Amino acid sequence: MKMEVRLSGSGGQGLILAGIILAEGAISSKLNAVQTQSYGPEARGGASKSEVIISDSEINFPKILKPKILLSLTQKSLNEYLKDVDKSGIIVVDSSIEVECREIANIYKFPIIDSSKEVMGSSVAANMVALGVLSQLIDDIDTENIKKSMIKRVPKGTEKLNIAAFEKGIELFNMSIHANH
Amino acid sequence: MKMEVRLSGSGGQGLILAGIILAEGAISSKLNAVQTQSYGPEARGGASKSEVIISDSEINFPKILKPKILLSLTQKSLNEYLKDVDKSGIIVVDSSIEVECREIANIYKFPIIDSSKEVMGSSVAANMVALGVLSQLIDDIDTENIKKSMIKRVPKGTEKLNIAAFEKGIELFNMSIHANH
Amino acid sequence: MKKTVVIESAWCKKCGICVEYCPVKILELNEDTVYIKDSEKCISCGKCEQRCPDYAIYLQKTE
Amino acid sequence: MKKTVVIESAWCKKCGICVEYCPVKILELNEDTVYIKDSEKCISCGKCEQRCPDYAIYLQKTE
Amino acid sequence: MTERTKLLQGNEACVQGAIYAGMRFFAGYPITPSTEIAELSSLLLPKIKGKFIQMEDEIASIAATIGASLAGYKSMTATSGPGFSLKQECIGYASLVESPCVIVNVQRCGPSTGLPTSPSQADLMQAKWGTHGDHPIIALSPSTVEETFELTVKAFNFAEKYRTPVILLLDEVVGHLREKIEIPKAGELEIVNRKKPTGNKDEYKAYEYCEDFVPPMASIGEGYRYNVTGLMHDETGFPTNSTSETGKLMNRLFDKIEENLDDILIYDEYKTDDANILLVSFGGMCRSCKDAIKKLRKENVKIGLFSVKTVWPFPEEKLKEVAKNIDKIVVVEMNKGQMIQEVQRTLGKEKDIIGINKINGEVITPIEIIDTIKEEYLRCLVK
Amino acid sequence: MTERTKLLQGNEACVQGAIYAGMRFFAGYPITPSTEIAELSSLLLPKIKGKFIQMEDEIASIAATIGASLAGYKSMTATSGPGFSLKQECIGYASLVESPCVIVNVQRCGPSTGLPTSPSQADLMQAKWGTHGDHPIIALSPSTVEETFELTVKAFNFAEKYRTPVILLLDEVVGHLREKIEIPKAGELEIVNRKKPTGNKDEYKAYEYCEDFVPPMASIGEGYRYNVTGLMHDETGFPTNSTSETGKLMNRLFDKIEENLDDILIYDEYKTDDANILLVSFGGMCRSCKDAIKKLRKENVKIGLFSVKTVWPFPEEKLKEVAKNIDKIVVVEMNKGQMIQEVQRTLGKEKDIIGINKINGEVITPIEIIDTIKEEYLRCLVK
Amino acid sequence: MPSEIIKKNLRTNRLPHIWCPGCGHGILMRAIAVSIEELNIDKDKVCIVSGIGCSSRAAGYMNFNTIHTTHGRALAFATGIKLAKPELHVIVISGDGDLTAIGGNHFIHACRRNIDITTIVFNNNIYGMTGGQYSPTTKTGDFATTAPFGNIDKPFDICELACGAGATFVARGSVYHVPNTIQYIKKGLTHKGFSVVEGLSICPTYYGRKNKKGSAIALMNELRDKCVNITKKESVNEKELEDNIYIGVFKDIITPEYTDEYKKVLDKFDK
Amino acid sequence: MPSEIIKKNLRTNRLPHIWCPGCGHGILMRAIAVSIEELNIDKDKVCIVSGIGCSSRAAGYMNFNTIHTTHGRALAFATGIKLAKPELHVIVISGDGDLTAIGGNHFIHACRRNIDITTIVFNNNIYGMTGGQYSPTTKTGDFATTAPFGNIDKPFDICELACGAGATFVARGSVYHVPNTIQYIKKGLTHKGFSVVEGLSICPTYYGRKNKKGSAIALMNELRDKCVNITKKESVNEKELEDNIYIGVFKDIITPEYTDEYKKVLDKFDK
Ligand SMILES: Cc1ncc(C[n+]2csc(CCOP(=O)(O)OP(=O)(O)O)c2C)c(N)n1
Ligand SMILES: Cc1ncc(C[n+]2csc(CCOP(=O)(O)OP(=O)(O)O)c2C)c(N)n1
Ligand code: SF4
Ligand code: SF4
Ligand code: SF4
Ligand code: SF4
Ligand code: SF4
Ligand code: SF4
Ligand SMILES: [Mg+2]
Ligand SMILES: [Mg+2]
């Protein structure tokens, strides 16, 4: 298996951390994973991205040219990266975002930011909510491993709330699947 | 013709200037000439040298391996450079210097330093006295051209005394030649 | 000649500095930008303009 | 225990500093080195040793 | 995931490897994309009684690094292109006074400030030729996070064994990449420490012309009181103007590297056995090469990779051996063509040598390699 | 001796040549064996309304030099190895912002402080590869005092014509040598000045992708108010992260040199017509080669010299042409073997290429060259 | 539509700038624009030289002759420019890292030479551009990404350093005290000789976050509360003396200026 | 046979040194030897670090751990040595060029950090080693090989610079005032923190010759006549104030020392 995930949004939304946790979860699940991100001052204002490749075999080239999954938490980042996504790919966006795209079959819209506000009182955990959603799209990673990594990586004292946000994400996804059925 | 002259002594005796004047005199006499010298802090204490090659054709390699003429104003410098001089070469030294060497035919001893004291009241013009001697050993250079260069190169106001020292050198040489005859 | 406060929303980064130091407290932030709650109360002191790092708020001369 | 002035001629560079500042003026230069004109007059003040850049003159303890 | 399986950035693995190798001193000055190396060092070193200092600039950083090395510490500094340029004078000093130390350059796109966050491999030649005067140098370039750990350990080992500065030439691709790494257990990798003098302290010669070319090294404060100078020096370490002493010193410096190439040269072959096309690459670009090879092999193209880890000295003999039966050589590098010059020199004009290069801050993708191979060697592929 | 026939040191001829070429700004920091260049500049420049400044170090010196160049002055700095290492970062800057200037390196024996007063030619590779990142460079190396004058003029001309830093690579042999020179009359040598913009000030693009690759250059204060940056930039001079703009910029920088090789490459052939042995050399060592050739020719050895004056870019095509019918190539250089690498790369393995090298601070004498030739090619000489 | 002052002095097509929300640098850049405008200096004759850092990015936004150089070297470049063309108004914009870390040497030498350049340092007590490492002006005990256990370095007082090195005009303002800061910059610009104006800036992104000092506003409030005019230094008590940050004009003397002196040398050969 | 103090502290087999007749540097080197001897410091723990210059050649003659580094960088090397091994007595010997021209940045940062290193600068107001170019301490109007029309630069006052940069012990002596100089060096060596002792030296060969100040003795006499103890500064008149050179202790305070503070960080992890 090989899964290429791009997490995009604006700087400060914690998508790098989310990517790291996802990659670490994959590794704990005995997979290979690489994580990369865009850097630099120019990344500050504009769209920022974090990329994760997960595979059961060796991963060499570490950049993603055609993501299988694109997560976007801002309109700007969706606009920038939409074109790269494969027709068979998956797009996950916050409900606030408009997706003008007919070619891609799998488009998921969730109230990711609002859910964070609901759980945490602010949008800071939107990344973890998103991670919850993503965890449900990537079968090969054990959700528990993502949680373990999360507990290790988030600031001390915020573990519980982040887990809650993560679980909120899982819930969002499952509800929507049910809705779709 | 090709003439290789090494002027040696201790730092501060003005042998670099003497070398430059000699080379410039050669150039004014429509010859080619190159002048080089030893540099650096290490040259301060030890023996210092200035080398002049004069030729009527192109001069490429600018260093002197076997000087035709060696001038030494100190014992130290003679000891250091004597071995390089060809058997057919010429050695010019101050009277105060001991020359233990039987192989080289042409050894000239002159009271160079004392003559400077005589003319200038100090040893500072020993270089010019020596230059006077050397001028008589190198036929192809017009003595007047050496004088012209000297006037240009010595500190303003000291021209006359330097010329006097130079002429004293010529005189020393000519007297000795007469004596030898 | 009077001066009125003008906002260039596209440049506002919502740092809140102008809001904090407006002596008559007539500025406020929303999701996208700063806005003027009550322009009548503005005393044209210019403190918002001086301290806005993004030149998104300033006083403009009006006839 | 007295101190007497010693000269290490091989190191003397004839700068004349010791000569100049010897308070009793008993040092002098020749062609090669500094020398002591009258060692009896030395007051062992050490000024020559302190200022000699070449460690060529110094006071030595004698019994 | 065992305790020792970790997700680490290349830059982090470098610090972990350094500490594993015994680094206890780091002096640096921040610069993208190397800064994480300083940051992690500042966090980890104090916990193991190590010393971290942020100096006022890159020159001071390498100077302090060499100072600590002379004081007996395994020491490192890290930077990127602009800082690497500034460190050049002192790299020559470290080389001439034979002070072990590791200098990391996480390459970014240049010249000058360039594209500070974009990858490049254009400091390859600089790693060898950046300082004035002839001098030997060892430079290593890893292509994975795990290799970064290993080669950092190697870098310290070489530094200590040969009393020489060693350059670790990372690139942004590897430095900023996070991937899986299995941290070796203590004792699992060999750790080399500098040879220490044992004889009479008064007779110690810090720059002795000894048989293995590497004189034992005393640390400041151990009672040897020797002299260190960047001037040419004799065996005792004191300045000399003698050309024969200078010659002896310079020859020993080169000999200690050139006589130990077997130990120093590290490289890897990938599917070269039956290859008729050989990719040559180093650092992060080996990754693109491998993916390209995998795909091309599926199309029955016989292609392999010679990946150079010890980039200096360049493994000439080994390359000749690997390329013996291969005519088509493709050098893949994120620069205008630097390693290709070594390949050309080594293999001569009988071989068909081309380069795949990029100098605009983008990595070379596997597709680009595949396309070039197909374009260039259509005939040979078809046959 | 006419007014214009002079006995000058190489370093002095450099200053005279620079002033002849239009140098009106010099910033430097003293270092043996280049110091006379600063000293003479400090004496002569004020007399012709030129500016001389001694800066606090070599980095400041090149920075001030570039600054003055941007302000419209023909400017120069001079140094030796250690200072040249320090200037590297800013050389890359000058290259990327396309600021004309001349950087003199009077080489001395290194690495590090080395033998400060002894000759060497070991900064040849550094002149090309010393700064980080790919960049084009022009470097010239004279072998006589007269040539020093001429090549200094050329250096300024190239700098202005191609908006690029030019390195004048002297060696101590030539720098400190006094010999005869005929100073050219005003107008006798061509003097090139930078192209100036003429169009609308608001539309001026300081980094335009123009046909001859060299955009016109406005000086600070002339009303153009453009932006200069060492970041990658677009045609307008403003920073860009675009890889395509970066690629275009980098390509133009290389093109402006590579498309003008005919103009830039300077070399000399000496008795090569019938030669079956070819010496290749540069700078001061050409002098030893010539004397060796004269003597060997007397013994009927057919030997000639290819003397390289434009050392960077290396005159590959010309060398190929000269060496077409010659199998034995001997590269003579005061270093561990630097130019020989270019010769090997250029001529390949069919040729028998050897080096005569010295790295101990001594010059290579004609006798040493003669001896080596006799030893190596006894057979071919006898035939 | 931007304000008049911005339109006249900045390159509006390059705005908004890359600085973070609440970054103090924008406030200082405007202060410089206002100063130039109010002094009515010929814009073609203004040359802004900067190094590398968030602060140094200012050059690219300002509509003058602008030179964005290498890290730390702005003053050395500027010295070449000013000596070449003394008729230019040369202004250096630099950060605390750029000016006093890697650029420290050029700074003290420019002070010493008393060359007529105005240096404005955007001092946010941190390396912003590279992500929050401690700088030579980071206070002892503060946290930074390379000082995870608190900074043990003692900070420079940039104004004291400038005075010790021989600068002839030295002042300090802040992003809170904008009118004062503008006044100091104007004084610096009109001063004949080397002038230094330190502008206390704020970096909410790194300095603020690392030191749990929160938002831009919290940092601005700190400036408001701690800054005291130097003229009042005499009258504060011991405890305050330590806590206070002094702003105002620290030195303002006239000694021979470098390019003037150079001109005198040139004039010797004028006849 | 050399004196006891020389035998014990210098490498007599390397003497006589390369310095010119009458060069002041030998006087200062001896003063350092006497200071170390009188303080009875363990010689194996003394590390002398120098840069490049006539003055910096001192290291090679002194019988301790001696490190002759690159031009201007001695203090940066020394900082690495001291931080690595705080138990060493690290002494930097530098010239006015080495320390305040190319090395100026490392100098001000060592002052700022207050790291326990003693710097002794042999200030002869010229670059001796390279043949007499003006240095950052050459007085305005003096001549040098690169100032043929008189120096237009303003000189640093090294002690003021050190104070401005944060050094905690700062003193100035001279080759004429040897006992005082020894006293200052001893104070510097025992001071905990960064200490600077400026030793006014003389270069008869270049400085003397270029400025027609003649011999070593003439230069020594000038030091004798112009040097006034700083404690007397208050009581001199205006004219003298300008002409005088002040010697003595300029600053002597105690603030936290760098390696001590570093140790505190290490101690946090001690358990
Ligand atoms: C030679 C060199 N070293 C290091 C860097 C990396 N670097 C860029 S900006 C910077 C520090 C900037 O700090 P400061 O000047 O305070 O500016 P700020 O970003 O805080 O405004 C550093 C270390 C560089 N670009 N070049
Ligand atoms: C990087 C570098 N730049 C320049 C030099 C040349 N250089 C050697 S010593 C020196 C100046 C020495 O002056 P100072 O420190 O005052 O010592 P002094 O000789 O006067 O005692 C210079 C410029 C060098 N060795 N290295
Ligand atoms: S001008 Fe003054 S009163 Fe008006 S909005 Fe701005 S800060 Fe408030
Ligand atoms: S100060 Fe400026 S950027 Fe900040 S909120 Fe107000 S208008 Fe917006
Ligand atoms: S010790 Fe004093 S009195 Fe005796 S010789 Fe020396 S200076 Fe003169
Ligand atoms: S001071 Fe020393 S070197 Fe000078 S004359 Fe006296 S003994 Fe000789
Ligand atoms: S990182 Fe700090 S200094 Fe840089 S732009 Fe952001 S707030 Fe400003
Ligand atoms: S040149 Fe000057 S400083 Fe150097 S040794 Fe001679 S007198 Fe001393
Ligand atoms: Mg800052
Ligand atoms: Mg000096």
Side-chain angles (χ1 to χ4, degrees), chain C residues 8 11 13 15-17 20-21 49-55 58, chain G residues 1-3 17 19 21-23 26-27 29-30 176 217 220-221:
Chain C
E8 173 68 30
W11 287 4
K13 290 181 186 156
C15 66
I17 291 177
E20 179 75 14
Y21 301 112
E49 177 174 6
Q50 281 167 12
R51 296 203 186 107
C52 170
D54 285 276
Y55 325 130
Y58 59 94
Chain G
M1 259 267 297
S3 70
H17 50 59
W19 293 320
C23 174
I27 304 174
M29 179 159 81
R30 183 181 170 281
Y176 183 84
I217 292 164
M220 290 282 269
N221 285 340

Side-chain angles (χ1 to χ4, degrees), chain H:
Chain H
M1 258 264 301
S3 71
E4 281 304 302
I5 199 88
I6 297 302
K7 264 193 290 186
K8 279 190 183 159
N9 294 281
L10 299 193
R11 292 162 171 152
T12 47
N13 62 331
R14 311 243 359 126
L15 293 173
H17 49 59
I18 59 159
W19 292 320
C20 305
C23 174
H25 292 354
I27 305 174
L28 291 171
M29 180 159 81
R30 182 181 171 281
I32 298 172
V34 171
S35 304
I36 294 174
E37 188 63 35
E38 292 185 358
L39 291 174
N40 217 348
I41 303 173
D42 178 353
K43 296 191 202 306
D44 286 340
K45 298 293 173 208
V46 173
C47 179
I48 310 235
V49 188
S50 71
I52 300 289
C54 293
S55 28
S56 293
R57 281 300 191 96
Y61 299 114
M62 304 194 74
N63 195 9
F64 307 99
N65 300 278
T66 54
I67 322 279
H68 182 232
T69 70
T70 50
H71 189 36
R73 316 301 171 189
L75 269 167
F77 280 88
T79 299
I81 293 167
K82 180 72 187 180
L83 178 59
K85 286 200 170 169
E87 68 270 25
L88 296 172
H89 286 266
V90 180
I91 301 171
V92 165
I93 297 180
S94 191
D96 45 323
D98 194 60
L99 188 77
T100 72
I102 191 168
N105 206 27
H106 312 305
F107 179 49
I108 58 175
H109 282 274
C111 291
R112 175 178 67 78
R113 270 188 209 106
N114 196 32
I115 186 163
D116 189 18
I117 293 171
T118 302
T119 294
I120 297 149
V121 48
F122 293 12
N123 181 6
N124 55 9
N125 310 104
I126 202 99
Y127 298 154
M129 180 64 100
T130 43
Q133 299 76 30
Y134 64 97
S135 91
T137 63
T138 303
K139 281 179 245 348
T140 311
D142 275 1
F143 293 90
T145 60
T146 44
F149 311 114
N151 179 27
I152 64 169
D153 276 37
K154 204 172 69 175
F156 274 139
D157 180 320
I158 296 181
C159 292
E160 260 184 43
L161 179 63
C163 292
T168 49
F169 179 87
V170 179
R172 182 185 288 132
S174 96
V175 292
Y176 184 84
H177 306 83
V178 179
N180 310 44
T181 306
I182 291 173
Q183 188 197 329
Y184 306 148
I185 295 174
K186 285 168 73 175
K187 281 198 179 164
L189 288 174
T190 47
H191 177 79
K192 182 87 188 171
F194 190 72
S195 51
V196 183
V197 181
E198 178 181 350
L200 300 175
S201 187
I202 55 172
C203 171
T205 302
Y206 292 113
Y207 183 81
R209 202 188 286 165
K210 267 277 153 191
N211 288 288
K212 306 212 167 62
K213 296 206 172 159
S215 66
I217 293 164
L219 292 167
M220 290 283 268
N221 285 340
E222 201 178 327
L223 288 174
R224 179 191 61 197
D225 299 342
K226 287 202 174 165
C227 286
V228 174
N229 199 288
I230 181 73
T231 52
K232 298 193 188 125
K233 191 171 182 180
E234 310 280 82
S235 56
V236 299
N237 65 36
E238 196 118 314
K239 165 82 189 73
E240 283 170 359
L241 218 126
E242 264 175 33
D243 263 12
N244 287 347
I245 305 170
Y246 294 94
I247 58 173
V249 176
F250 290 75
K251 191 171 174 188
D252 187 359
I253 63 166
I254 293 294
T255 63
E257 190 273 332
Y258 191 82
T259 61
D260 272 358
E261 295 306 299
Y262 197 91
K263 189 166 178 307
K264 287 184 196 157
V265 175
L266 294 186
D267 288 346
K268 281 189 196 159
F269 301 100
D270 242 357
K271 59 211 139 186

Side-chain angles (χ1 to χ4, degrees), chain A residues 89-108:
Chain A
I90 300 168
I91 293 178
V92 179
V93 296
D94 183 69
S95 306
S96 65
I97 295 172
E98 309 254 325
V99 190
E100 285 172 31
C101 169
R102 285 150 211 215
E103 291 141 16
I104 296 170
N106 302 302
I107 299 176
Y108 294 95

